[in-house]
Amino acid sequence: MRAATVSRFGGPEAVQITEVPVPVPGAGQVRIKVGAAALNPVDVAMRSGVFGGAGERIGLGWDVAGSIDALGPGVAWAVGDRVIGLAEGHHEPLGTHADYVVLDVEAVAPAPASLDDVHAAVLPLNTMSAAQALGLLALRPGQRLLVTGAAGGVGGYAVELAHWQGLEVTALASAVDEASLRSRGASHFLSRGTTLESSGFDGVLDAAALGSAAIAAVRDGGSYVGLWPGREPEAERGVRVDALAVRADGAQLAELSRLADQGKIGTRVARTYPLGEAAAAHARLAAGGLRGRLVLIP
């Protein structure tokens, strides 16, 4: 089968389509025939060597939507079931940007019945990142949340989920995104570049990695969560600082899939590419200006 991998770090040209053996599921695992797989900034970081692994073959891709085509021992799923899932790990030889991928059953959930594979594929990493980051913030209904980078994949889902959790959400993004973010649940909007000092938010989900500029907006004793462990700002004024290390959680993903079917969270796809053009998709992502995810289709 084909898989998008890197064996040296660099720009989009480092992405290779390689021929590898079709993986075989072990106990507690399923093999998924990939219908679609989203391209995320973490794939760029892996390709660029941010997470290390020099000299190894590293598979790209975390998100997947498709159908189960083989079962390992002790698995209750059925061949043909439509699923979404998350492949964790920065140094694995295979990711989801491939014709087939093997995942643990704990990383898999039923795909939303209302979505095709292309749109379902953008859900796992970004929705679980948003949900788990909100969990770390531990805010109560009625409290004030600021989401930076609110027009991005994680930020947009954080706005939607926080709205349904009863938080008063302020979105920070480019001015052109205001109407979209208000429609997704933001009660207030701040344009990128706004000074955030002493804003009195109970919590900040810093999807834009503003760091010290974002923590300045948190009230004394509030909470801050970033998305890049090791890049969070120093704690100050009793603000609790944390950073998300996303984990695969099939039960949580199943609930997020249900929310998608209920229309409570949406999906945005900017463009699709054939798997064989993965390097071109990386180049388009590097060019910026996208609203929605790029998705690879085997």
Side-chain angles (χ1 to χ4, degrees):
M1 72 169 196
R2 300 166 303 159
T5 66
V6 292
S7 55
R8 61 182 178 85
F9 299 134
E13 73 285 349
V15 179
Q16 303 172 311
I17 302 299
T18 54
E19 293 289 331
V20 298
V22 176
V24 177
Q29 294 183 319
V30 296
R31 185 171 69 209
I32 300 168
K33 180 176 174 59
V34 178
L39 175 62
N40 290 285
V42 68
D43 296 303
V44 176
M46 292 167 64
R47 183 202 76 209
S48 304
V50 170
F51 302 112
E56 304 174 26
R57 186 189 73 192
I58 299 172
L60 301 174
W62 289 50
D63 287 313
V64 64
S67 57
I68 293 175
D69 90 314
L71 308 171
V75 173
W77 290 91
V79 171
D81 285 345
R82 288 190 65 237
V83 294
I84 53 177
L86 181 70
E88 293 181 89
H90 301 108
H91 301 140
E92 298 298 323
L94 291 175
T96 64
H97 295 170
D99 290 315
Y100 296 89
V101 64
V102 166
L103 296 181
D104 293 339
V105 291
E106 291 82 5
V108 173
S114 60
L115 299 179
D116 60 19
D117 284 345
V118 169
H119 290 83
V122 307
L123 290 171
L125 178 60
N126 290 321
T127 60
M128 281 198 289
S129 293
Q132 291 172 22
L134 290 171
L136 290 174
L137 286 167
L139 300 181
R140 301 183 304 276
Q143 289 192 297
R144 300 178 63 218
L145 169 69
L146 172 66
V147 179
T148 74
V154 176
Y157 285 122
V159 169
E160 291 179 317
L161 292 171
H163 168 70
W164 291 112
Q165 290 174 13
L167 301 179
E168 183 182 334
V169 183
T170 296
L172 188 150
S174 296
V176 296
D177 296 305
E178 179 174 359
S180 172
L181 287 165
R182 287 188 181 275
S183 73
R184 299 178 77 176
S187 300
H188 311 285
F189 181 84
L190 297 173
S191 294
R192 190 165 54 193
T194 300
T195 301
L196 297 174
E197 282 85 342
S198 304
S199 300
F201 290 100
D202 297 295
V204 171
L205 197 165
D206 189 17
L210 300 182
S212 59
I215 200 173
V218 185
R219 64 168 174 81
D220 294 358
S223 55
Y224 168 102
V225 170
L227 301 182
W228 290 89
R231 298 186 184 181
E232 61 272 24
E234 293 292 327
E236 58 181 67
R237 299 177 288 105
V239 175
R240 180 170 53 83
V241 173
D242 212 334
L244 175 72
V246 67
R247 67 188 187 283
D249 183 333
Q252 183 179 56
L253 186 56
E255 176 59 26
L256 293 163
S257 179
R258 285 191 289 270
L259 290 176
D261 266 336
Q262 294 166 7
K264 293 184 176 180
I265 56 175
T267 60
R268 293 191 297 172
V269 174
R271 180 176 170 181
T272 63
Y273 284 83
L275 175 62
E277 297 179 17
H282 276 253
R284 178 62 189 91
L285 181 58
L290 293 169
R291 294 296 183 270
R293 283 284 177 250
L294 301 175
V295 177
L296 299 176
I297 304 174

